[in-house]
Amino acid sequence: MTSADAPHADITLRSDVTVELVKSSASDSDVLFAARVSTLGEQSLAELQKDPERSKGLINYLMRDRHGSPFEHNSMTFLISAPIFVFREFMRHRVGWSYNEESGRYRELQPVFYVPDASRKLVQEGRPGKYTFVEGTPTQFDTLHRVFDESYQQAYSAYQKLLAEGVAREVARAVLPVGLFSSMYATCNARSLMHFLGLRTQHELAKVPSFPQREIEMVGEKMEAEWARLMPLTYAAFNANGRVAP
C-alpha cells in the first residue's frame, strides 16, 4: 500500500516521556538495617533511629567500598510511557528489574508517536566510538517533522486497514514503527536503578563517562528525581562516589 491509497490517520505526536512512581517500599533505613544485621543480628532494627550522622556515614562507606547487597532491600515500581525503541534499550537491563509492557497481541495499539523537539541534538559528527551530536538546523527539523508525520500516518493507516480486514492484532502490528508509544511497569531496587542511571544518564559527577541516547536519558532523569526523594542519603552517597553502582 502506498501513501496515495492509504486513508488519512488521526495520529498524536509527542516529544516527551512520562514516569509515574506508582508504588514504593524504599527508604534509607532499608539500607541501614540490612547492613547492620551482619554485626547486630535482629537488633539491627533498633538502630534505625540512632545517630543520624553515623547512619549517613555508614551508607557512604557502603557506597564507597562497593558493598552492594544492602541497597537491594527495597522496591520501586514505575509506570513509564515512552517510544518502543526506548523500551527495547531499557530491557537490556535484566538483573534486579521486572517488566510488564502493554501488548499489541491483546489490545489495539493507539496512534501516539514520538517526534524529537527542537532541544534534541540531531546531527552525528565523527567516527564510530568517537562521535558527538550537534544541533540540527531549522530546515532539518522541518523535514524531520514532515517525514515523521507522513510515515506515521501511512503506517497507522495500514495497521487499521489490516484490522478492518480481520487480520489478527499480533500480525497487523508488524507494520508499526518503533516510534510508537508504549507503556510498561518497571520494578527495581536502588542498586539496579543506580546501575541503570550510571549507564543511561550523563552527569558532571560521574567518574565513568556515559553516552546514552537522549530519549532513554529523559526516562532516567525522571526516575532519578523520584528515587532521590525516597532515599536522600543513598542518593547523596551515589553522587558523592562518582555515580557508580556498588
Side-chain angles (χ1 to χ4, degrees):
M1 183 173 65
T2 67
S3 57
D5 56 15
H8 177 81
D10 291 324
I11 65 174
T12 298
L13 300 178
R14 287 178 53 182
S15 300
D16 65 325
V17 299
T18 60
V19 174
E20 178 186 356
L21 179 68
V22 296
K23 184 175 65 172
S24 67
S25 174
S27 67
D28 293 317
S29 63
D30 297 328
V31 181
L32 297 171
F33 80 73
R36 287 172 174 157
V37 74
S38 61
T39 57
L40 296 174
E42 69 273 13
Q43 297 179 49
S44 62
L45 287 173
E47 293 288 311
L48 294 181
Q49 305 305 320
K50 296 182 180 179
D51 194 356
E53 282 302 312
R54 182 165 169 264
S55 295
K56 179 180 177 181
L58 174 57
I59 288 176
N60 190 69
Y61 159 74
L62 295 169
M63 190 77 68
R64 184 194 69 210
D65 285 15
R66 306 195 72 184
H67 297 290
S69 59
F71 297 100
E72 298 176 1
H73 294 271
N74 56 81
S75 178
M76 293 164 279
T77 298
F78 299 92
L79 175 60
I80 302 168
S81 176
I84 286 174
F85 67 83
V86 170
F87 289 170
R88 297 303 162 264
E89 189 171 17
F90 204 121
M91 290 175 183
R92 293 177 67 95
H93 296 266
R94 299 179 293 276
V95 178
W97 288 90
S98 298
Y99 303 109
N100 280 94
E101 184 183 355
E102 68 175 281
S103 174
R105 295 186 69 189
Y106 304 120
R107 65 168 303 199
E108 182 176 331
L109 298 171
Q110 300 303 299
V112 182
F113 297 91
Y114 175 75
V115 61
D117 65 18
S119 68
R120 204 326 181 164
K121 292 182 178 179
L122 206 61
V123 179
Q124 180 178 320
E125 293 183 344
R127 58 181 175 81
K130 194 175 182 181
Y131 57 79
T132 59
F133 285 89
V134 299
E135 306 291 339
T137 67
T139 299
Q140 287 172 324
F141 270 102
D142 287 345
T143 301
L144 180 150
H145 285 189
R146 183 177 67 256
V147 170
F148 272 40
D149 182 68
E150 291 173 352
S151 177
Y152 289 151
Q153 286 196 32
Q154 180 176 345
Y156 199 75
S157 293
Y159 175 65
Q160 290 289 297
K161 180 175 177 60
L162 291 170
L163 293 180
E165 291 290 331
V167 175
R169 288 184 292 265
E170 66 181 49
V171 178
R173 64 178 173 171
V175 301
L176 294 171
V178 294
L180 182 77
F181 266 74
S182 186
S183 61
M184 74 170 178
Y185 288 106
T187 299
C188 63
N189 59 56
R191 189 182 192 185
S192 54
L193 180 58
M194 284 186 277
H195 183 258
F196 176 89
L197 295 175
L199 290 173
R200 303 302 182 182
T201 61
Q202 290 184 315
H203 199 283
E204 60 183 4
L205 297 176
K207 283 183 182 178
V208 181
S210 183
F211 306 95
Q213 184 165 335
R214 177 55 189 154
E215 288 76 13
I216 196 169
E217 185 178 38
M218 290 160 59
V219 173
E221 289 169 349
K222 291 179 180 294
M223 296 174 74
E224 181 172 342
E226 295 286 357
W227 172 56
R229 179 178 57 82
L230 293 172
M231 304 178 71
L233 295 183
T234 303
Y235 179 66
F238 175 59
N239 283 316
N241 290 277
R243 293 175 66 88
V244 176

